[in-house]
C-alpha cells in the first residue's frame, strides 16, 4: 500500500472564502470602475460558479446580457479588460486584510512542513491571485512551502476536467494513490476523482448543500471532527493518513 506523500489543495473556497468575500466583490468593483452596469449579488454569483475560471465565468455571463457586445470577439476583449481590473481589485482587497484562511488550513499546512508531506495547489484561478493571497495566508516564505503550483495559465481545461490535477501529480513526481485532494466544490471533486485522487471535501458557503457523492469524506472545515474512525479530534496528518489507508 502506497503511503500518503502529498496534499493537493484547491484555492478558492477551500483555503479561504475567496469567492464570496473576494472575487465577487472585486468583480463588482471592476464593473463600477469601468462604468459598466452589472452587479453580482451573493445568490447570482453562486449560480455563476457553475462555470469554472473567472474569465470563463465572465464570458458566460456576457453572452446572456442584452447590453453586452453582440460580437463574440468584442465580448472576449471586454472580458479580458474586466478580468484584468478584477485581479487588481482582488489584490487590493487581500492587502486590506479582508480575507482569512478557513479554519484549520494554516495549522495543516504548517504540520506538513514538519512531517515531510508535500504540498501542491491545483486551481483554476490565475497565478496573480495566488501571488496576492498566499503571503497573507501563509507568510512571505510561502513559495518554499509548496512543491507544485498549477494555476489557470498552466491548465486551460478547467475543472471538472482532471488536467490541473494530472499536471500537479506530474510536477510532484508521485502517483495518484499517494495524494489526497482537498476541495470544496462538485467540479473540484469530479476533477480530483477523474485524476485518480481520493478527495476530502470541506464545504464552502456556495456549495454547502451540494451533492458530494464519491468524496472520501465531507466536513464543514478542517477543524471539524473527522467522520471516519480515527483518534484525532480534528483533521490532522494522522487523521488523513488513516483516511488515505482506508481508501487505498
Amino acid at each position: 500500500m502506497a503511503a500518503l506523500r502529498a496534499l493537493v489543495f484547491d484555492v478558492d473556497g477551500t483555503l479561504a472564502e475567496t469567492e464570496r468575500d473576494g472575487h465577487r466583490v472585486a468583480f463588482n468593483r471592476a464593473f463600477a470602475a469601468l462604468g459598466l452596469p452589472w452587479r453580482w449579488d451573493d445568490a447570482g454569483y453562486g449560480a455563476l460558479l457553475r462555470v469554472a475560471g473567472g474569465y470563463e465565468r465572465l464570458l458566460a455571463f456576457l453572452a446572456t446580457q442584452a447590453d453586452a457586445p453582440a460580437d463574440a470577439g468584442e465580448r472576449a476583449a471586454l472580458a479580458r479588460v474586466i478580468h484584468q481590473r478584477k485581479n487588481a481589485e482582488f489584490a487590493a482587497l487581500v492587502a486590506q486584510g479582508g480575507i482569512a484562511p478557513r479554519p484549520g488550513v494554516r495549522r495543516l499546512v504548517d504540520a506538513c512542513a514538519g512531517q515531510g508531506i508535500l504540498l501542491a495547489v491545483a486551481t483554476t484561478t490565475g497565478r496573480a491571485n495566488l501571488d496576492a493571497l498566499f503571503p497573507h495566508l501563509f507568510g512571505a516564505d510561502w513559495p518554499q512551502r509548496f512543491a507544485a503550483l498549477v494555476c489557470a495559465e498552466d491548465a486551460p481545461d478547467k475543472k471538472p476536467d482532471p488536467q490541473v490535477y494530472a499536471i500537479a501529480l506530474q510536477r510532484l513526481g508521485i502517483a495518484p494513490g499517494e495524494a489526497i485532494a482537498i476541495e470544496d466544490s462538485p467540479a473540484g471533486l469530479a476533477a480530483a476523482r477523474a485524476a485518480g485522487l481520493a478527495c476530502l471535501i470541506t464545504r464552502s458557503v456556495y456549495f454547502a448543500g451540494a451533492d458530494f457523492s464519491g468524496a472520501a469524506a465531507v466536513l464543514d472545515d478542517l477543524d471539524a471532527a473527522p467522520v471516519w474512525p480515527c483518534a484525532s479530534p480534528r483533521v490532522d496528518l494522522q487523521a488523513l493518513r488513516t483516511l488515505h489507508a482506508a481508501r487505498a
Side-chain angles (χ1 to χ4, degrees):
M1 180 181 67
L4 177 64
R5 296 182 59 197
L7 301 182
V8 186
F9 284 93
D10 172 54
V11 175
D12 293 317
T14 299
L15 293 178
E17 285 288 359
T18 48
E19 294 291 12
R20 181 193 62 188
D21 302 333
H23 294 299
R24 182 188 66 84
V25 175
F27 272 119
N28 285 339
R29 289 186 180 183
F31 292 147
L34 295 169
L36 297 169
W38 308 301
R39 301 294 181 271
W40 289 346
D41 61 18
D42 277 4
Y45 190 69
L48 286 167
L49 288 177
R50 289 192 295 265
V51 179
Y55 174 73
E56 292 79 7
R57 197 169 302 137
L58 270 173
L59 283 179
F61 171 76
L62 293 176
T64 69
Q65 301 304 299
D67 50 356
D71 179 76
E74 292 180 12
R75 288 199 302 272
L78 177 59
R80 284 192 291 271
V81 171
I82 297 170
H83 195 243
Q84 183 177 29
R85 180 59 184 256
K86 187 267 329 183
N87 285 344
E89 296 289 351
F90 179 79
L93 276 169
V94 172
Q96 293 163 9
I99 299 177
R102 291 189 64 195
V105 164
R106 188 174 291 160
R107 169 182 56 77
L108 188 58
V109 167
D110 288 345
C112 288
Q115 297 194 40
I117 298 294
L118 298 172
L119 290 171
V121 163
T123 180
T124 58
T125 200
R127 177 60 189 260
N129 291 329
L130 264 65
D131 290 338
L133 179 65
F134 275 33
H136 292 271
L137 296 186
F138 305 119
D141 66 339
W142 73 266
Q144 284 71 56
R145 291 172 174 256
F146 292 87
L149 298 169
V150 188
C151 304
E153 297 88 344
D154 307 299
D157 297 334
K158 300 299 186 288
K159 299 173 185 177
D161 190 282
Q163 183 183 46
V164 68
Y165 277 104
I167 295 172
L169 291 170
Q170 182 182 42
R171 292 183 180 179
L172 289 170
I174 64 173
E178 296 176 299
I180 291 177
I182 302 180
E183 280 277 359
D184 76 302
S185 72
L189 169 62
R193 290 194 69 208
L197 285 82
C199 183
L200 170 65
I201 294 293
T202 55
R203 301 182 188 93
S204 63
V205 168
Y206 282 124
F207 298 109
D211 179 7
F212 290 114
S213 300
V218 182
L219 299 170
D220 287 336
D221 56 58
L222 294 173
D223 275 349
V227 294
W228 58 95
C230 68
S232 303
R234 55 187 180 177
V235 180
D236 57 16
L237 282 177
Q238 186 55 49
L240 289 174
R241 288 188 177 105
T242 302
L243 179 65
H244 176 260
R247 301 288 294 187

